[in-house]
Amino acid sequence: AGMERLVERLEKAVQRLETVCQGPGMCGDGSSQGVAQYVQAFDALLAGPVSEYMKISKEVGGDVQKHAEMVHAGLMSERSVLVTASQHQQPAENVFSTLLKPISEQIQAVQNFREKNRGSKLFNHLSAVSESIPALGWVAMAPKPGPYVKEMTDAAMFYTNRILKEYKDVDKKQVDWVKAYLSIWTELQAYIKEYHTTGLTWSKTGPVATEGAKAPSAPPAGAAPPPPAPPPTKGAVSHLTSAQTSPWCAAWLASGQMWHEGLRHVSDDMKTHKNPALKNQGGPIRSGPKPFTAPKPACSANPSQKASPKQPALLELEGKKWRVENHENATNLVISDTELKQVAYVFKCTNSTLQIKGKINSITLDNCKKLGLVFDDVVGIVEIINSRDVKVQVMGKVPTISINKTDGCHVYLSKNSLDCEIVSAKSSEMNVLIPTEGGDFTEFPVPEQFKTVWNGQKLVTTVTEIAG
């Protein structure tokens, strides 16, 4: 039965492609120049896995269907970029960033929808999509766009596994939805490997692309997904992309590098919810499954601040305070000569790891992103504020960990620190990992959503079921 269904899907895909190509040199947009082979291959992906995903999303309905339409709009924006690349030579970086703006806006629209619907009964579905939708950014990721897509796909696994666990023996349609959605990214990886192995392939003969370069945002009707989610009209796309551009988007549009910093958001250690990379101070740091939100600390609205010179990196002892500031891509920061009265203040460190040996009074992480912290013992408090994508591993003991205004925080406790109190406020996607006898970690989410009722005498607050 499974093989028959696969053959049926392949036949439908072929039929759609046949309707696209009306003759030699006439394919896709019907222009006399034709459409590049890799654009036709992308249309096949739209007609196959994407079409199946849209179909099942419509059957599931509700927020999942609305979300799927946004995903489809993002894929259409991506197709437009592919057509442009197939007809133009690669432009300057700032022009390329402008061409990618529609994709950026669609990614933001998808993720904003999840954030605005945290009370949805299908929140895990929305989270799976929001975590992986940055995969559309592969067009800006060189020289390894394929591995980047896989990395984004792995970010969705935390939530897709929740869906499978909840519906495995209850609703086959939900299971099919997971398979259909993940197949999009699996097929996209294969597509990239064949046509864009080291980055987006540009034409070698066409004119250099400009900001005004136009390309069809959707293939003809035959190649587009079926009625459940028709290609968005100009007005529909305008509606989806008219959401306010976040500071992250503005920064990305000004610099291709910001795209990478803003979207890369999972590492190998979190694919199995283990922590060998952090424990050994190796590999990039990323806090597993978290909702992608526009990082406010990462981009200032003040133009003068953007132009300010980069601050020097520090790792020094000033009186009784260890100052660790402005480090980027530093994976071997170590503080070893510690005393009980000393404190550590870690400020604006990005994509780095820090190990603090010995016993120390307190540790504060402020305005850090993609930071891994490993420490032995703290007699006071470990405080994490205004940060994003942080991993903290306790090797010895700590009485209190405070998490405030932070998006994405994984706390790995040791067996000696299981009595630690974790206090959180105004934060999202916090997870505490408890060690098992086998040396692995079991992950437990920290509730973010609560219900408060008046019982006649006082307010009573409890954790809502959806909060985990």
Side-chain angles (χ1 to χ4, degrees):
M3 182 61 70
E4 292 176 356
R5 183 178 179 186
L6 177 60
V7 172
E8 181 181 356
R9 288 176 58 191
L10 290 173
E11 289 176 347
K12 290 180 179 179
V14 172
Q15 289 174 1
R16 292 191 181 97
L17 285 175
E18 288 175 347
T19 62
V20 174
C21 298
Q22 304 298 329
M26 297 292 289
C27 186
D29 59 0
S31 67
S32 59
Q33 296 179 347
V35 170
Q37 184 178 1
Y38 69 66
V39 177
Q40 298 178 41
F42 190 80
D43 288 343
L45 187 148
L46 294 174
V50 176
S51 176
E52 182 72 8
Y53 159 68
M54 299 300 295
K55 174 177 175 291
I56 299 177
S57 294
K58 183 179 181 181
E59 294 174 357
V60 175
D63 291 337
V64 166
Q65 182 181 359
K66 295 176 183 177
H67 220 202
E69 291 170 356
M70 295 179 181
V71 172
H72 181 261
L75 288 163
M76 292 303 102
S77 296
E78 183 140 291
R79 183 186 186 276
S80 179
V81 170
L82 292 174
V83 174
T84 298
S86 71
Q87 299 172 354
H88 298 79
Q89 296 185 50
Q90 185 171 358
E93 195 169 286
N94 62 325
V95 175
F96 186 34
S97 294
T98 301
L99 294 175
L100 295 178
K101 183 177 179 180
I103 297 177
S104 168
E105 292 175 333
Q106 288 305 126
I107 291 173
Q108 197 66 41
V110 169
Q111 294 168 331
N112 286 343
F113 184 83
R114 192 280 286 270
E115 292 305 308
K116 294 176 181 178
N117 292 276
R118 284 186 163 270
S120 173
K121 294 181 179 180
L122 300 172
F123 182 70
N124 284 329
H125 297 66
L126 304 186
S127 296
V129 174
S130 293
E131 284 300 310
S132 51
I133 194 62
L136 293 178
W138 70 266
V139 290
M141 303 299 293
K144 296 182 179 180
Y148 173 76
V149 172
K150 185 178 187 305
E151 193 174 13
M152 296 302 102
T153 307
D154 290 335
M157 292 298 186
F158 178 84
Y159 293 102
T160 55
N161 287 340
R162 282 184 170 184
I163 298 169
L164 294 175
K165 182 178 180 181
E166 181 178 356
Y167 293 102
K168 183 178 181 181
D169 300 318
V170 179
D171 188 348
K172 184 177 182 297
K173 185 187 302 179
Q174 306 290 347
V175 176
D176 291 341
W177 181 90
V178 169
K179 294 179 180 178
Y181 180 70
L182 293 179
S183 72
I184 294 175
W185 306 121
T186 302
E187 292 298 323
L188 182 61
Q189 290 174 55
Y191 165 80
I192 293 171
K193 184 177 181 180
E194 183 172 358
Y195 297 102
H196 310 276
T197 308
T198 58
L200 179 60
T201 301
W202 292 84
S203 172
K204 296 181 180 179
T205 58
V208 176
T210 63
E211 295 181 9
K214 299 292 183 182
S217 61
T233 63
K234 182 178 180 181
V237 174
S238 173
H239 171 72
L240 286 174
T241 60
S242 63
Q244 292 182 346
T245 304
S246 67
W248 167 80
C249 287
W252 166 63
L253 292 173
S255 167
Q257 185 178 5
M258 283 303 296
W259 171 283
H260 182 277
E261 293 178 357
L263 292 183
R264 185 177 180 86
H265 75 293
V266 75
S267 62
D268 289 344
D269 56 348
M270 285 315 304
K271 293 174 185 176
T272 55
H273 305 297
K274 299 181 181 180
N275 198 33
L278 179 58
K279 188 173 182 179
N280 298 324
Q281 300 183 46
I285 298 304
R286 155 69 190 149
S287 70
K290 60 167 280 298
F292 184 88
T293 55
K296 296 179 180 179
C299 180
S300 171
N302 188 337
S304 63
Q305 291 181 1
K306 292 182 182 179
S308 61
K310 182 178 178 181
Q311 297 298 315
L314 296 176
L315 198 166
E316 63 181 18
L317 179 61
E318 186 179 86
K320 296 180 180 179
K321 176 192 287 187
W322 284 97
R323 295 177 58 192
V324 185
E325 301 178 7
N326 305 310
H327 287 274
E328 293 185 11
N329 303 313
T331 58
N332 58 349
L333 300 174
V334 179
I335 296 176
S336 56
D337 188 15
T338 58
E339 297 179 4
L340 186 59
K341 295 182 179 180
Q342 294 175 348
V343 301
Y345 179 68
V346 187
F347 179 69
K348 277 193 176 181
C349 291
T350 302
N351 198 32
S352 301
T353 58
L354 169 66
Q355 182 177 11
I356 301 178
K357 299 180 179 180
K359 187 175 291 188
I360 197 169
N361 186 274
S362 67
I363 302 172
T364 299
L365 306 186
D366 185 5
N367 249 315
C368 294
K369 182 172 69 172
K370 295 183 181 179
L371 177 73
L373 169 67
V374 183
F375 64 88
D376 291 340
D377 296 283
V378 169
V379 297
I381 186 174
V382 173
E383 186 176 16
I384 305 160
I385 58 175
N386 297 321
S387 296
R388 177 170 165 245
D389 301 356
V390 174
K391 292 177 183 174
V392 176
Q393 181 165 10
V394 186
M395 304 304 292
K397 295 198 66 175
V398 59
T400 306
I401 296 177
S402 173
I403 307 171
N404 194 11
K405 295 182 180 180
T406 293
D407 293 323
C409 181
H410 276 220
V411 177
Y412 293 80
L413 297 178
S414 66
K415 292 183 179 180
N416 293 329
S417 62
L418 296 181
D419 58 349
C420 171
E421 293 184 355
I422 298 176
V423 182
S424 61
K426 297 181 180 180
S427 299
S428 66
E429 288 303 326
M430 300 163 288
N431 295 276
V432 178
L433 292 96
I434 306 300
T436 65
E437 293 298 330
D440 295 336
F441 287 87
T442 302
E443 185 176 52
F444 298 92
V446 177
E448 302 170 25
Q449 196 171 70
F450 304 89
K451 178 176 66 176
T452 300
V453 296
W454 175 254
N455 69 354
Q457 296 180 333
K458 63 179 180 178
L459 292 176
V460 178
T461 301
T462 56
V463 175
T464 59
E465 293 182 3
I466 193 172

